[in-house]
Amino acid sequence: MSAKAEAYSSSANLGPGFDILSMAHNAFKDIVIARTIEEKGKIIIKSNNPKIPLDPEKNSAGLATKILLQEKGIDEGVEIEINKGIPFGLGLGSSGASSVAAIAAVNELFELKLTQEEMVKYSMFGEQASSGSPHPDNVAASVYGGIIAVTSVSPVKVEKIPVNLDFKILLISPQGEREGKTKKAREMLPSKIDLSLYVKNSRYLSSLILGFIKGDKELIKQGLNDEIVEVAREPLYPHYKKIKEIALKNGAIGSCVSGAGPTVLVLYDDNTNLDKIKVESLEVCKAFGLTCNFISAQI
Ligand code: HSE
């Protein structure tokens, strides 16, 4: 018996929404095939990407599957074949998408009838394997699609944000997959912040969410800022500030770090000079010794 499922890439955080907001996009996708195998209780991982860990405990899809099977009392052996389309370590929700696709495939394989929130719950455990913390934002976007807000983690609750604006996405992504990046990025975060910063960031967050709901570009631009997490991780993406400046100068709706970076997300529309953003960003990437790819996508 086998079942196949896919899950799309995502950009988590969206500026002020650390571990809360995320946007799924059609830039890349992972496809997972789950098969029952004879050896009871065993999980085998296979992948087309030789760099991802094959130990189920260290693989996001493997760990998520293990926890799901345990909780559902299923002792069948399962092979998880991960066809990775999403490069990892670039802030594109790669590990999360693998877990989501694995959970969706296993859900179908054993006819578990999981709700979307349960799918987020189990997929989230997979993030523990790759980043040391079970953050829900990427997996929630890959499960629900569009732009989501995680409103509770225990129990998992997710809301889809109504988006009343047409925009496109440009991902500016340095080449080269980065192992263990999210774990390192999470270790860079402050354990305490000033109340004034908290208030400022909360204002950004409310502006951003209201901007999407109202279809108000100015509110989105105002809200797509973060003075806590993006700042703390700046050494991971020294090119970001300059690229954001270029994007805004050339009429982009807004720009932020995609997840934990180093990919930069730009939201744009017909009033944006995209060619100029690409030409100038390429120069910035070069100056920082990076070769950057441009990926156009939509939610
Ligand atoms: N919210 C997570 C983080 C996303 O920023 O660590 C990781 O892709």
Side-chain angles (χ1 to χ4, degrees):
M1 277 198 312
S2 74
K4 184 173 170 177
E6 58 185 40
Y8 283 96
S9 48
S10 61
S11 293
N13 301 343
L14 301 179
F18 174 70
D19 279 3
I20 301 169
L21 297 185
S22 186
M23 174 190 284
H25 35 60
N26 62 359
F28 302 100
K29 68 178 174 186
D30 281 1
I31 301 171
V32 167
I33 302 167
R35 295 183 189 89
T36 46
I37 52 173
E38 277 182 12
E39 233 176 311
K40 294 266 176 229
K42 191 165 173 82
I43 295 175
I44 296 175
I45 306 288
K46 281 188 177 167
S47 178
N48 61 335
N49 186 332
K51 289 191 205 144
I52 70 161
L54 299 181
D55 176 351
E57 298 279 342
K58 296 190 178 135
N59 180 292
S60 61
L63 187 58
T65 301
K66 185 181 160 192
I67 294 172
L68 171 62
L69 295 180
Q70 261 171 6
E71 282 204 9
K72 296 290 172 190
I74 297 170
D75 71 343
E76 297 274 348
V78 180
E79 178 186 276
I80 302 286
E81 179 188 326
I82 308 168
N83 296 293
K84 286 229 52 89
I86 312 175
F88 66 82
L90 297 180
L92 296 169
S94 177
S95 56
S98 291
S99 335
V100 170
I103 291 298
V106 171
N107 180 40
E108 201 185 313
L109 187 64
F110 295 110
E111 297 177 9
L112 299 175
K113 297 191 172 42
L114 296 178
T115 63
Q116 283 184 308
E117 275 162 354
E118 286 172 319
M119 296 211 8
V120 173
K121 178 184 126 178
Y122 290 110
S123 305
M124 188 173 97
F125 291 129
E127 295 285 42
Q128 178 81 38
S130 56
S131 73
S133 101
H135 55 277
D137 41 0
N138 288 111
V139 297
S142 291
V143 168
Y144 283 76
I147 302 180
I148 58 87
V150 178
T151 56
S152 165
V153 181
S154 183
V156 170
K157 291 205 181 298
V158 177
E159 290 290 331
K160 235 180 135 160
I161 297 177
V163 180
N164 289 299
L165 183 75
D166 277 336
F167 64 81
K168 291 182 200 124
I169 297 164
L170 176 70
L171 298 164
I172 304 173
S173 198
Q175 271 180 14
E177 293 178 305
R178 291 148 167 81
E179 276 165 64
K181 190 235 40 211
T182 306
K183 189 166 189 291
K184 191 172 155 205
R186 292 185 83 84
E187 285 164 5
M188 293 167 86
L189 298 175
S191 54
K192 288 191 177 142
I193 53 160
D194 281 350
L195 184 64
S196 59
L197 265 187
Y198 164 76
V199 173
K200 214 168 174 188
N201 251 48
S202 302
R203 288 193 179 119
Y204 292 144
L205 184 60
S206 5
S207 303
L208 183 62
I209 294 173
L210 286 168
F212 284 128
I213 296 172
K214 294 174 79 173
D216 183 328
K217 289 200 275 184
E218 277 314 307
L219 267 180
I220 295 175
K221 184 174 289 172
Q222 188 182 313
L224 210 46
N225 284 299
D226 169 37
E227 295 185 27
I228 301 170
V229 175
E230 283 189 354
V231 174
R233 292 169 166 174
E234 223 169 88
L236 295 178
Y237 33 73
H239 52 291
Y240 162 59
K241 254 194 184 163
K242 284 222 150 56
I243 291 182
K244 179 166 180 161
E245 261 172 46
I246 291 167
L248 294 179
K249 187 181 79 188
N250 287 294
I253 299 169
S255 172
C256 62
V257 175
S258 179
T263 296
V264 176
L265 174 85
V266 176
L267 303 186
Y268 71 95
D269 64 9
D270 293 344
N271 301 313
T272 311
N273 190 337
L274 197 64
D275 290 338
K276 221 159 163 218
I277 293 178
K278 287 184 181 174
V279 170
E280 292 183 23
S281 298
L282 218 48
E283 287 307 312
V284 172
C285 288
K286 238 191 243 166
F288 284 100
L290 300 166
T291 307
C292 287
N293 293 324
F294 298 108
I295 304 119
S296 296
Q298 281 177 315
I299 56 169

